[in-house]
Amino acid sequence: MAAPVKKNDRKVVYIEDLTHDGNGVAKVDGYPLFIQGGLPEETAEIHVLKTLKNYGFAKIVDIIKPSPDRVKAPCIYFGKCGGCQLQHLSYEGQLKWKENMIRNVMKRIGKIDAPVHPVKGMKDPWNYRNKSQIPFSMTDTGPIAGFYKLKSHEIVDMERCLIQVGEADEMMANLKKELMEIGIVPYNEESHQGMLRHVVVRKGRATGEVMIVLVTNKHKFPQKDAAVELIRKLVPNVTSIVQNINIEKTNVILGNETVTLWGKDFIEDTIGDVRFEISARSFYQVNPVQTEVLYKQALDYAQLTGDETVIDAYCGIGTISLFLAQKAKQVMGVEIVEQAIEDAKRNAEINGLTNTYFEAGPAEEVIPRWYADGKMADVLVVDPPRKGCDEALLNTIIEQKPKRVVYVSCNPATLARDLRILEDGGYKTMEVQPVDMFPQTTHVECVALMSRVDK
């Protein structure tokens, strides 16, 4: 059956919803059109750009009736840079949409009817990112730096980003102007030539410490002394300058080898009462204000009295583990990345938390071995990547039957899928609390509490 619209058609449509990447959704005779820049509750004239069998794409020609939540995006790069998708939606509107999206995903994918609470948002939803990964490139007109266009590797040359810390703006605006003077040529992705691929800026919110990571396409770095001098001039509060070597033809930002050029090997930060050492390659949540909200929610759902053994799967550098260890009898963390486990052990040591144990390996292999050795969990916490939990880990949880499961998720779709599997295995989802870790974007984190029920 042919689509009810064709390329270059103009239609007046009512926009019903947003997609996961922030496009408006309208339907013509049941046929979905994805409309860049459209918002729910808007009536707009649109121009059809492309049609496929089951859906099409369009752009707005005229907004006939705007959404009551539409605002003017404050960033001059909005719509070009792919970093933010929702700056044209008021912050109250963003939180409302995220809550409704999670409710719908829970019902549609997970068939979950547990309460979904209103999203915990920020008082100031700007300049929250404590980590920025800024790609550099060389063009015919000179060096550029910024962020990628949505779904592309084309860099939007930028001077300022409204969601990252000020030190990152300084690096983005000033370093590219002075690179050539010290002989550093930015990287060209197509030719695999040039030196500087990315500049990564990390800042400890509580400590103010700043790390600058220069990601290079070569091991040898003859301009390193000049680079250190330049960075110290541009960012006077820098405490660590690091070279990371990535010589592969890859989209992955960081390589496996890191060399400290000046200052410390790490920066420090605190979340609540817990102190962390953060190296160039450490995973650490990018929104420190909301991270504390998220982890306190996980701790609340764990319902610890001091007598429980907790297993933290996907524990990373121990961020959630150490929060839990303040209230638990024992916390055991597992993570596949060996360096992260070394970081977790060190972070436990510097906080004097001796009731922790960390082991490197796949959670779905390590946890069954722990159980076989009699190391049983009263509470199991998971914080997986966007793809969700490994199926083998879910089966392990079902077989081992901890009293409670606390699931921290950055992807509502895979969260709903995994909750369904656990519910079918004898658990009940008690409640879901969303936390807005990424204002101005379509991303949202959730913490779900599950309790074991008799079958």
Side-chain angles (χ1 to χ4, degrees):
M1 182 177 177
V5 294
K6 60 182 184 295
K7 184 178 179 180
N8 294 325
D9 277 356
R10 290 203 176 197
K11 295 281 184 179
V12 173
V13 297
Y14 177 76
I15 299 172
E16 304 172 4
D17 202 353
L18 292 174
T19 66
H20 69 278
D21 55 5
N23 287 324
V25 181
K27 292 181 180 177
V28 177
D29 296 335
Y31 179 83
L33 287 170
F34 301 138
I35 305 163
Q36 185 175 0
L39 292 176
E41 302 181 64
E42 289 189 331
T43 302
E45 182 183 1
I46 54 102
H47 177 201
V48 178
L49 300 173
K50 183 179 182 180
T51 59
L52 301 173
K53 181 179 179 181
N54 296 318
Y55 56 89
F57 299 91
K59 67 177 181 179
I60 291 177
V61 176
D62 183 40
I63 299 174
I64 298 169
K65 182 182 178 183
S67 163
D69 293 315
R70 179 176 280 277
V71 296
K72 180 176 174 56
C75 179
I76 62 173
Y77 306 105
F78 180 70
K80 300 174 184 176
C81 166
C84 297
Q85 303 87 42
L86 298 181
Q87 283 193 18
H88 59 321
L89 181 61
S90 72
Y91 191 52
E92 294 76 14
Q94 292 179 33
L95 297 179
K96 179 175 66 176
W97 174 76
K98 290 181 180 184
E99 179 185 339
N100 290 335
M101 179 268 292
I102 293 165
R103 290 182 194 278
N104 292 337
V105 166
M106 288 297 145
K107 292 177 181 177
R108 179 171 50 85
I109 296 177
K111 307 297 188 290
I112 304 290
D113 61 0
V116 175
H117 299 300
V119 182
K120 291 186 176 181
M122 298 188 73
K123 289 183 180 178
D124 180 11
W126 302 99
N127 301 114
Y128 60 83
R129 286 190 63 96
N130 62 7
K131 178 185 178 183
S132 297
Q133 302 179 131
I134 306 163
F136 277 67
S137 187
M138 192 68 184
T139 68
D140 294 340
T141 57
I144 61 171
F147 295 102
Y148 294 118
K149 287 185 178 180
L150 187 64
K151 296 182 180 179
S152 85
H153 263 246
E154 183 180 345
I155 296 173
V156 179
D157 193 28
M158 298 168 63
E159 298 290 319
R160 188 180 179 213
C161 171
L162 298 183
I163 64 170
Q164 69 183 6
V165 297
E167 286 83 1
D169 284 342
E170 292 176 41
M171 295 304 301
M172 192 159 54
N174 297 321
L175 185 58
K176 61 188 174 186
K177 296 176 181 176
E178 305 192 38
L179 280 174
M180 305 300 286
E181 294 180 12
I182 60 174
I184 298 178
V185 178
Y187 178 68
N188 184 293
E189 191 174 36
E190 292 183 4
S191 66
H192 195 53
Q193 299 298 311
M195 184 67 168
L196 186 65
R197 299 173 71 126
H198 280 78
V199 173
V200 180
V201 181
R202 308 193 75 151
K203 183 175 183 179
R205 173 177 170 269
T207 62
E209 295 186 352
V210 175
M211 171 183 283
I212 305 295
V213 184
L214 304 175
V215 184
T216 64
N217 188 39
K218 296 178 175 62
H219 285 85
K220 291 184 178 180
F221 194 2
Q223 307 92 345
K224 63 183 180 182
D225 291 340
V228 166
E229 183 181 351
L230 175 58
I231 291 168
R232 292 184 66 191
K233 180 185 75 173
L234 295 177
V235 186
N237 58 331
V238 67
T239 52
S240 173
I241 303 175
V242 173
Q243 177 192 8
N244 175 267
I245 298 105
N246 184 357
I247 61 174
E248 303 297 324
K249 290 184 177 180
T250 176
N251 293 336
V252 176
I253 293 173
L254 295 176
N256 294 324
E257 185 178 350
T258 301
V259 179
T260 301
L261 302 179
W262 179 87
K264 300 193 298 182
D265 298 336
F266 54 84
I267 58 171
E268 295 184 51
D269 199 13
T270 60
I271 302 174
D273 297 326
V274 184
R275 193 163 111 251
F276 296 96
E277 291 181 357
I278 308 158
S279 61
R281 299 181 66 236
S282 295
F283 172 78
Y284 189 72
Q285 292 279 9
V286 300
N287 186 334
V289 174
Q290 293 296 87
T291 296
E292 187 167 353
V293 174
L294 185 78
Y295 289 177
K296 283 183 176 178
Q297 188 64 58
L299 182 61
D300 180 52
Y301 279 173
Q303 302 171 33
L304 301 177
T305 65
D307 296 326
E308 295 85 2
T309 295
V310 182
I311 289 179
D312 181 8
Y314 309 98
C315 70
I317 66 170
T319 45
I320 293 181
S321 299
L322 302 187
F323 249 65
L324 298 166
Q326 297 175 100
K327 301 288 186 180
K329 178 182 178 182
Q330 183 185 29
V331 176
M332 303 170 64
V334 58
E335 165 66 50
I336 199 167
V337 180
E338 291 188 12
Q339 182 58 54
I341 288 295
E342 294 305 311
D343 290 344
K345 291 177 180 177
R346 188 176 68 254
N347 286 324
E349 183 179 352
I350 65 177
N351 285 281
L353 293 168
T354 58
N355 59 336
T356 58
Y357 172 79
F358 295 101
E359 184 173 334
E364 61 274 12
E365 295 178 10
V366 173
I367 293 174
R369 175 162 46 76
W370 286 349
Y371 277 108
D373 292 340
K375 299 170 182 175
M376 310 296 287
D378 301 295
V379 179
L380 195 143
V381 177
V382 295
D383 184 9
R386 288 190 63 79
K387 66 180 181 179
C389 288
D390 187 282
E391 185 177 357
L393 176 60
L394 295 173
N395 291 334
T396 297
I397 295 171
I398 292 167
E399 290 170 10
Q400 305 302 333
K401 302 179 181 179
K403 295 174 187 175
R404 287 181 294 284
V405 175
V406 179
Y407 194 132
V408 181
S409 170
C410 60
N411 185 341
T414 54
L415 170 64
R417 178 201 68 196
D418 291 351
L419 295 185
R420 178 71 266 153
I421 293 170
L422 291 172
E423 286 216 350
D424 292 342
Y427 284 85
K428 179 173 176 59
T429 306
M430 308 307 293
E431 53 187 293
V432 179
Q433 177 60 67
V435 178
D436 192 25
M437 298 284 287
F438 312 103
Q440 319 309 328
T441 81
T442 56
H443 302 296
V444 63
E445 296 250 348
C446 296
V447 188
L449 170 62
M450 305 194 81
S451 293
R452 182 77 193 174
V453 293
D454 292 329
K455 295 200 73 178

